[in-house]
Amino acid sequence: MAQSPSDAASGAKSHHEILRRMSLTSPGIQRKDSLVDVDPRAANPSLGLSGGVISATFCIPHSLQLRNGADWGTHTRRGTSALFDSFKYLSSDKTPWNHTLVGWTGEITVPDDLTPPDTPPATTTASKIQPLNKSSAPIPVDAFSKPIETPQSEGLWISKSDQSRLEWQLAHDKECRTIPVWLSDDAEGDENGAICLKDQSRWRRFAEHELYTLFHYKQHEPTNGVAERASWADYYRMNQKFANRILEVYKPGDIVMIHDYHLLLLPSMLRQRIPHMYIAFFLHIPFPSSEFLRCLPRRKDVLEGVLGANLIGFQAHGYSRHFVSCCTRILGFSSDITGVDAYGARVTVGVFPIGIDAAGVEKLAFDNPIINDQVKALRKLYAGKKIIVGRDRLDSVRGVAQKLMAFERFLEKYPEMREKVVLLQVTSPTSIEEEKEDSNNKIANKVAELVAKINGLYGSLGYSPVQHYPQYLSQDEYFALLRAGDTGLITSVRDGMNTTSLEYVVCQRDDHGPLILSEFSGTAGSLKDAIHINPWDLTGVADAINYALTMSEDKKSAMHQSLYHHVTTRTVQTWSGAFLKRLLSVLNSHNSTIATPLLDKAALLTQYRAAKKRLFMFDYDGTLTPIVKDPNAALPSERLIRTLKALASDHKNAIWIISGRDQEFLQQHLGDIPELGFSAEHGSFLRHPGSKEWENLAEVFDMSWQKEVMACFQKYTELTPGSFIERKRCALTWHYRPSDPELGAHMARECQKELENTVGKKWDVEVMTGKANLEVRPSFINKGEIVKRLVAAYGHEIGQPPEFALCLGDDFTDEDMFRALNASSLDPAHVFTVTVGASSKMTLAHWHLLEPADVISSVALLNGGDGNVADLGPLAIVEGRVPDQLPGGVIPDEMPGGKL
């Protein structure tokens, strides 16, 4: 690479060559090299940076092979080369960061020579073994005896020493310090630290069966959901294991960068453990519209999981717009194109199209004499013909079938091009679990049929217009193919960032072959000078092929110059730098705001099971039941009643409903559960569990203030159509939810000012704003005082404080409860204060839940579940495996297909 203008001019044959050499001196790389001397800690003193970056990706860059007692075999993993290049760059001396990569080992294999040729590997299940010669199968002695069966193996065992050896190898990797995540059930091991790996692909199943397909706008046929329940549990537990592994190496001030759809829950799980952590998340595939995401049963969990990040990055503007729209439409969070307001903090959203290591690709493609020979051989083989190149994975989103149909249309519409053009199409097997079955059958058959049809219609003995190679290419063959092409053709029907298009541009450095690119590819927004096509418009693609093949040299040169400049300046190095720079900017802007993390249900369940005495305190409206226009319509659901009864049936549990509701309402709708305790009117009245008598805590207080308040409320009721007054024993409430929202809010502000300047100065009362209401009550009565009383009472009763306290509420009156618990003598690890609702409010609570349905689901989890699939993830974490019996009574072995 040229390092100065004089270097670029030396030996150059034309001004185009000088420009090309100068473009190879990537401005992004120069800028990053200059940052080696700029310490990010000094540039951002308020953040307290450590200088460390931890990247989390699903699989490490190596495919692993176990060699018992010896060094592990490692091979470069196929796919996501741009992402792996970014890890190498962050780990190099060209950046000021101390980089560590955390990733799953991937499916571990064993060498074929570990067993005799006729003996299956130890990891092979006997039921799947087929004899090499059918006539050699065991012959029964009689009609009733069964053939001899080989004993089934129980998975692949990895000894503690082999685990340590791999960890040492990866920690000393010259290109990138790597820490592996071992994925197995906690029970699948022995006392010596060995682990047993069973059904290794299960950890990718939910991500690749459910998320990948839906994010690419594909929907499954309806099922009974049982398999999805188990795969969700594995997905949830896998994300938790990643969180545990990251926390083993995390230091305060480290930046954690999380990559792709396998780890959507990880940001929130890390935020639960360390609220002040600096977290960025980047999605490398498309993000669907809200209409499609709604089809995902786990939509809320996925969105809440990724919202634990400070910065979320996408490949294209359309994907970021879809994401913020989903947060508003599904979660109810306020958002705009720049981000989402979630629980007291701002989650920033940005667009960062990833690049490639352009200098590295160019060096590999042009400095290898083997590739030069292969390019010459290809051009000699197809002398006199234009070469269209395509290299795609054989899955449904790459559009190989559309490409072939468009090429057929091209040959039909432009007969003069027959015998003058050839399509070299290479299809490699897909790496996506969900696509493998389809690829090996439907898609592969469709492609084979199209190839045969085209060659039959337009070919001859000496000419086949389509040369299809269903195989992996070596790196040399791949670059030779891209260099030999006259046109690159990419027809993906839904794609994230297609790096083949970027590599094609680099490989066409000298020949300027045009690039035809699907508008549905994430690369299309970046490569604006490519020929954009709609892969579903076959005639339009055919016309684009003809246009590219007949384009003048000047036009091709101008088009390529623009594309080449973009690819060689927007590299993976500049992408890494821009993403980190934006994260630091976000952190500096919002450093004082800390989001309230999503409730850690696994920690909740663990502490619940360990406690001998437990105290529950629930608000009612907005917490146990949704907010409705008519307060009298907020009735408890059957599921809520069932859940509370199950919780109350455990003698270790003390359950209190602490509400602003009056005695009559609570008695009428929840009074038939005798084990419940009640606090009505924000603490004015108490009814202890097992008692039918109410205690009036405000009976000695002068209530004469109510006349003045009633007069004020009546005035504003007349001014605000639809509003009404609710009279309680110790409080008065003015409701304006049925009124016009703007008028009601305005009148409420005016009424509040009047009350504070009159009644509030004469009496010891408090004017409180609620959700579409105003309430006036005695100042000494609030939910916080009730909480103090309960904690003291239950501590005195059993001689020690409760070992588990769960308090949930949704509005500002519940902040008194959170304040009292935070200041109590209870062990903070035993206290769970949870705010409920989609508001972006600041709160004293330590956790959040989205809505009342999540409250009931979380409480039901403590009872052993009620059939809700979302409970299975935390349950699997606590038990270290997918439970033998799932919530709802489903037994895993009864699932379609047998074992999980």
Side-chain angles (χ1 to χ4, degrees), residues 697-869:
L697 302 183
E699 60 184 351
V700 298
F701 188 73
D702 185 358
M703 307 299 288
S704 301
W705 54 270
Q706 289 191 340
K707 293 181 181 179
E708 295 183 45
V709 173
M710 179 62 76
C712 182
F713 278 172
Q714 286 175 341
K715 181 177 77 170
Y716 282 93
T717 300
E718 294 173 1
L719 295 172
T720 314
S723 63
F724 63 94
I725 303 169
E726 180 186 6
R727 183 162 194 162
K728 304 175 183 178
R729 294 277 297 276
C730 294
L732 289 174
T733 307
W734 179 61
H735 296 273
Y736 57 90
R737 185 175 297 278
S739 307
D740 178 81
E742 293 184 5
L743 176 64
H746 172 71
M747 288 301 179
R749 289 191 294 269
E750 295 299 315
C751 183
Q752 181 182 2
K753 291 178 185 177
E754 183 171 333
L755 289 171
E756 288 174 345
N757 291 327
T758 56
V759 179
K761 293 183 177 180
K762 294 167 57 178
W763 300 89
D764 187 16
V765 296
E766 190 174 12
V767 182
M768 302 183 303
T769 58
K771 292 186 176 179
N773 65 64
L774 276 180
E775 181 165 297
V776 183
R777 68 180 184 192
S779 298
F780 70 91
I781 295 175
N782 64 65
K783 294 182 178 182
E785 294 300 319
I786 298 301
V787 168
K788 293 177 185 177
R789 179 185 289 240
L790 294 177
V791 171
Y794 282 95
H796 178 74
E797 175 186 324
I798 63 174
Q800 65 180 34
E803 298 168 305
F804 175 92
L806 174 61
C807 180
L808 297 106
D810 72 307
D811 68 13
F812 81 99
T813 65
D814 301 309
E815 295 296 315
D816 293 330
M817 293 197 293
F818 304 148
R819 184 181 294 106
L821 276 174
N822 292 341
S824 71
S825 59
L826 298 181
D827 186 336
H830 299 170
V831 176
F832 295 85
T833 51
V834 186
T835 187
V836 182
S839 172
S840 58
K841 62 193 174 189
M842 297 296 291
T843 179
L844 295 172
H846 293 158
W847 307 95
H848 81 250
L849 286 172
L850 181 62
E851 59 187 357
D854 297 327
V855 172
I856 301 174
S857 171
S858 300
V859 175
L861 170 65
L862 306 180
N863 296 330
D866 64 349
N868 185 1
V869 63

Side-chain angles (χ1 to χ4, degrees), residues 5 43 59 142 254 308-309 312 355 491 500 546 549 561 567 800 812-813 855 878:
C59 287
D142 55 55
D254 281 354
I312 303 172
T491 56
T500 299
N546 183 67
L549 294 177
Q561 184 176 359
V567 173
Q800 65 180 34
F812 81 99
T813 65
V855 172
V878 174

Side-chain angles (χ1 to χ4, degrees), residues 339-514:
V340 181
D341 294 320
Y343 297 102
R346 178 75 171 176
V347 180
T348 302
V349 172
V351 179
F352 308 89
I354 196 170
I356 60 173
D357 180 9
V361 168
E362 183 156 347
K363 180 178 177 61
L364 290 171
F366 288 93
D367 292 355
N368 188 338
I370 296 176
I371 295 178
N372 294 335
D373 292 340
Q374 290 176 335
V375 172
K376 292 177 182 177
L378 281 171
R379 288 175 175 166
K380 181 178 179 182
L381 181 62
Y382 299 106
K385 297 179 178 64
K386 297 285 188 179
I387 300 174
I388 303 173
V389 297
R391 200 275 285 172
D392 307 272
R393 287 205 305 265
L394 193 60
D395 57 39
S396 58
V397 303
R398 303 299 170 179
V400 178
Q402 285 83 352
K403 181 185 300 185
L404 292 170
M405 288 188 286
F407 185 64
E408 179 186 5
R409 176 67 178 134
F410 164 74
L411 294 176
E412 176 189 358
K413 186 175 181 180
Y414 299 97
E416 69 278 7
M417 298 300 292
R418 300 172 191 172
E419 304 278 343
K420 297 179 181 179
V421 63
V422 62
L423 170 62
L424 299 186
Q425 177 63 48
V426 179
T427 55
S428 57
T430 180
S431 60
I432 303 300
E433 280 284 306
E434 168 62 21
E435 298 282 355
K436 286 181 179 177
E437 184 177 348
D438 285 344
S439 297
N440 291 334
N441 295 289
K442 293 188 247 181
I443 302 175
N445 291 341
K446 176 70 172 176
V447 168
E449 290 172 5
L450 287 169
V451 170
K453 178 185 177 184
I454 295 170
N455 288 338
L457 283 174
Y458 302 106
S460 62
L461 289 177
Y463 168 68
S464 295
V466 179
Q467 298 291 327
H468 179 222
Y469 302 95
Q471 64 187 59
Y472 282 117
L473 289 181
S474 68
Q475 187 179 78
D476 291 351
E477 292 170 329
Y478 172 62
F479 286 133
L481 177 70
L482 296 188
R483 282 184 56 188
D486 293 289
T487 295
L489 181 57
I490 296 172
T491 56
S492 51
V493 295
R494 187 69 58 181
D495 204 357
M497 185 56 64
N498 190 303
T499 55
T500 299
S501 59
L502 307 179
E503 290 160 342
Y504 175 79
V505 170
V506 173
C507 289
Q508 287 295 313
R509 181 191 73 183
D510 300 329
D511 300 299
H512 309 157

